[in-house]
Amino acid sequence: MKKIIKILIIFGLTMGAIYSVKWFIQTDYFKIREIAITGENALLKRSIKDKLEDLKGKNIVYIDTKKIEKAIKEDARVKSVSIQKIFPGKLEIKLEERKPRAYVKKGTDMFLADEELNLYGYISEEKFKNMPIVIYTDDESLKDLKIIISKIKNKDLYDMISEIRKSDKSYELVLVNGIKIITDTLVNEDKYNKAYQLYNKIKGDQVMQYIDIRFKYFNVK
């Protein structure tokens, strides 16, 4: 009998504790009062904050952060996002935005694109930057151009490029002065560095139309 009473007392205390915790969780103490967003793009932060404004006043315990992260990542400008609950009533959202690496021309429109040529906005959405315009014709050429851009690590060379485009049987880096660097997907980072050095060495000594860097020995004309 004593054992049954003891069990009933323990059960009662447990249920009482559960009810108290549940009641406490459902109080205003755990309502969301602040949504803090960190990131570099002010326009993006404001846009996301406006969309999440209706979360204020809701219980932070029952908020599904994974669902919110998925919704935020639907914005093409967002590269990654993480959300942390700061109890009792704050959501902390950390954004990693896509960084502009090139302009991509599609038809008559110009888009911002990151290092992987993911389009995420119109050219008008950000201050003009000294970046090349990428022109591709199909999925295969887009894939090749991604590879080529990933290998151009020399910032000084990259800043000199006005266009990156597919020609008949190769790809061209068109410099701001009209000189072309002919390349393909097999050209490595070191070759781009050497092409930049060669260009600086001979630019004042001879008239150039192009530098072909696809082979072991560069062809200059």
Side-chain angles (χ1 to χ4, degrees), residues 68-88:
I68 299 172
E69 286 176 2
K70 184 179 178 182
I72 290 174
K73 282 202 283 191
E74 289 177 357
D75 191 311
R77 296 169 292 179
V78 178
K79 186 175 183 179
S80 66
V81 60
S82 63
I83 300 176
Q84 186 177 2
K85 296 179 180 180
I86 309 295
F87 290 96

Side-chain angles (χ1 to χ4, degrees), residues 99-131:
K99 299 288 193 304
R101 177 70 170 164
Y103 299 115
V104 171
K105 187 174 182 180
K106 291 188 73 177
T108 58
D109 292 322
M110 292 271 273
F111 297 90
L112 293 165
D114 63 9
E115 70 279 2
E116 296 179 349
L117 297 185
N118 295 303
L119 307 185
Y120 67 91
Y122 287 97
I123 189 172
S124 59
E125 292 180 26
E126 193 158 330
K127 271 187 177 181
F128 179 79
K129 294 180 181 293
N130 186 28
M131 300 186 301

Side-chain angles (χ1 to χ4, degrees), residues 29-57:
Y29 185 71
F30 288 99
K31 283 185 177 180
I32 296 173
R33 294 173 179 82
E34 182 183 357
I35 300 173
I37 303 177
T38 58
E40 296 178 17
N41 188 319
L43 186 65
L44 175 60
K45 287 193 293 182
R46 186 163 61 249
S47 173
I48 290 174
K49 194 162 189 175
D50 289 343
K51 290 177 182 177
L52 300 181
E53 199 64 25
D54 62 347
L55 290 177
K56 286 186 177 179

Side-chain angles (χ1 to χ4, degrees), residues 9-20:
I9 291 172
I10 292 172
F11 177 77
L13 291 172
T14 302
M15 293 302 295
I18 292 172
Y19 176 80
S20 297

Side-chain angles (χ1 to χ4, degrees), residues 41-180:
N41 188 319
L43 186 65
L44 175 60
K45 287 193 293 182
R46 186 163 61 249
S47 173
I48 290 174
K49 194 162 189 175
D50 289 343
K51 290 177 182 177
L52 300 181
E53 199 64 25
D54 62 347
L55 290 177
K56 286 186 177 179
K58 293 187 177 180
N59 194 305
I60 194 171
V61 176
Y62 303 118
I63 292 295
D64 186 345
T65 57
K66 294 299 180 186
K67 186 177 179 180
I68 299 172
E69 286 176 2
K70 184 179 178 182
I72 290 174
K73 282 202 283 191
E74 289 177 357
D75 191 311
R77 296 169 292 179
V78 178
K79 186 175 183 179
S80 66
V81 60
S82 63
I83 300 176
Q84 186 177 2
K85 296 179 180 180
I86 309 295
F87 290 96
K90 179 180 177 182
L91 285 180
E92 194 172 84
I93 300 172
K94 294 182 180 178
L95 296 174
E96 183 183 359
E97 302 95 342
R98 296 191 186 278
K99 299 288 193 304
R101 177 70 170 164
Y103 299 115
V104 171
K105 187 174 182 180
K106 291 188 73 177
T108 58
D109 292 322
M110 292 271 273
F111 297 90
L112 293 165
D114 63 9
E115 70 279 2
E116 296 179 349
L117 297 185
N118 295 303
L119 307 185
Y120 67 91
Y122 287 97
I123 189 172
S124 59
E125 292 180 26
E126 193 158 330
K127 271 187 177 181
F128 179 79
K129 294 180 181 293
N130 186 28
M131 300 186 301
I133 297 170
V134 174
I135 303 171
Y136 66 92
T137 55
D138 50 34
D139 290 342
E140 184 180 353
S141 61
L142 174 62
K143 183 180 177 182
D144 289 347
L145 286 166
K146 287 181 184 180
I147 295 170
I148 290 168
I149 289 175
S150 72
K151 293 179 181 179
I152 307 173
K153 306 293 187 183
N154 188 313
K155 186 180 183 303
D156 292 327
L157 172 61
Y158 195 80
D159 289 344
M160 290 166 55
I161 302 170
S162 63
E163 284 188 10
I164 303 175
R165 66 195 186 195
K166 190 179 189 307
S167 62
D168 291 337
K169 295 181 180 180
S170 62
Y171 292 90
E172 297 176 345
L173 313 179
V174 183
L175 306 186
V176 291
N177 58 7
I179 293 172
K180 300 171 186 176

